[in-house]
Amino acid sequence: DTAVSQTPKYLVTQMGNDKSIKCEQNLGHDTMYWYKQDSKKFLKIMFSYNNKELIINETVPNRFSPKSPDKAHLNLHINSLELGDSAVYFCASSQGPNSGNTIYFGEGSWLTVV
Amino acid sequence: GNSVTQMEGPVTLSEEAFLTINCTYTATGYPSLFWYVQYPGEGLQLLLKATKADDKGSNKGFEATYRKETTSFHLEKGSVQVSDSAVYFCALANSGGSNYKLTFGKGTLLTVNP
């Protein structure tokens, strides 16, 4: 069973469109995250939720809106897509926001905006 | 703020060579330290971690020791294989709480030739 699963794995879309990436974890974790990996492989956190509540919101355009319907799911919706949004988006989860907890990552969603 | 610096790649080695990838960090408090690996076209996998000073993390022949005095967490393997070819990321997680997240280095691409 995949611990952290996200869909779709690949997404090619036009500028201006709205798209969503879904994420589910079956680890029973309380905390979920979205990370962005740019074309140079650099990874940076975007959002973090703990028990469905937003706890980290890094400097991310308002066009990005996370939603956590329950502890096991954290979806990412992106409005008015721009070329610069092309990246790999990783969902992740951890037992809680506690020191030393391992953060487990999904397989990534490769987004290409044309 | 927290930061991680790891050696620039790419690193190219022959099979059975010794590997070292340097990683140093800047952090407040008592961070936990991690190495993640990303194989081509795949997501991030935890390779090893250490949660306090002098701890040694190890997995699949890889080792790293948490050195507080030198703020380092260098990754080593005695004999690399072709299958170790991947991008390696050093990361730290802060002391926990509502701001718990991973701060990554820029990644080091390792290519192992037969």
Side-chain angles (χ1 to χ4, degrees):
Chain A
D1 278 348
T2 304
V4 182
S5 58
Q6 48 184 116
T7 56
K9 181 160 185 174
Y10 300 102
L11 181 55
V12 181
T13 188
Q14 291 189 325
M15 274 196 306
N17 283 352
D18 302 338
K19 291 295 177 186
S20 292
I21 306 172
K22 296 187 176 182
C23 179
E24 175 181 7
Q25 53 93 5
N26 63 5
L27 296 167
H29 288 167
D30 291 332
T31 308
M32 295 187 72
Y33 312 79
W34 279 108
Y35 282 79
K36 179 180 179 180
Q37 184 175 45
D38 64 22
S39 59
K40 295 185 178 178
K41 299 283 190 184
F42 186 61
L43 283 148
K44 190 168 164 42
I45 191 165
M46 300 172 70
F47 302 103
S48 171
Y49 273 72
N50 188 52
N51 284 318
K52 302 194 299 174
E53 288 197 22
L54 180 67
I55 56 173
I56 293 177
N57 183 352
E58 295 286 294
T59 308
V60 177
N62 290 339
R63 298 181 295 103
F64 290 78
S65 53
K67 282 191 172 50
S68 181
D70 55 59
K71 284 196 321 181
H73 295 84
L74 179 61
N75 303 322
L76 182 65
H77 188 74
I78 315 170
N79 288 327
S80 304
L81 278 155
E82 300 177 357
L83 293 176
D85 297 331
S86 296
V88 185
Y89 293 86
F90 286 101
C91 180
S93 72
S94 66
Q95 181 63 44
N98 303 318
S99 179
N101 281 351
T102 297
I103 297 179
Y104 296 89
F105 286 81
E107 298 268 304
S109 294
W110 271 252
L111 172 65
T112 302
V113 182
V114 297
Chain B
N2 296 338
S3 67
V4 175
T5 303
Q6 62 181 104
M7 64 187 284
E8 297 277 336
V11 173
T12 303
L13 295 173
S14 297
E15 209 164 22
E16 299 183 3
F18 183 84
L19 169 70
T20 300
I21 301 178
N22 289 338
C23 172
T24 57
Y25 67 90
T26 302
T28 55
Y30 303 94
S32 298
L33 300 173
F34 302 81
W35 278 99
Y36 282 84
V37 59
Q38 185 176 26
Y39 297 103
E42 297 188 13
L44 288 161
Q45 300 177 26
L46 176 70
L47 183 58
L48 53 85
K49 74 176 188 181
T51 58
K52 61 183 189 296
D54 299 326
D55 270 2
K56 178 188 280 188
S58 61
N59 186 26
K60 299 182 182 178
F62 291 89
E63 293 183 339
T65 301
Y66 188 161
R67 300 283 187 207
K68 191 168 172 64
E69 64 276 13
T70 54
T71 61
S72 65
F73 193 54
H74 305 320
L75 182 68
E76 295 183 336
K77 187 175 185 182
S79 176
V80 293
Q81 305 300 313
V82 172
S83 57
D84 293 327
S85 298
V87 181
Y88 292 81
F89 293 92
C90 185
L92 72 83
N94 50 314
S95 301
S98 61
N99 195 32
Y100 189 65
K101 63 185 179 185
L102 285 167
T103 299
F104 285 91
K106 292 188 176 180
T108 302
L109 173 63
L110 170 66
T111 302
V112 181
N113 295 320

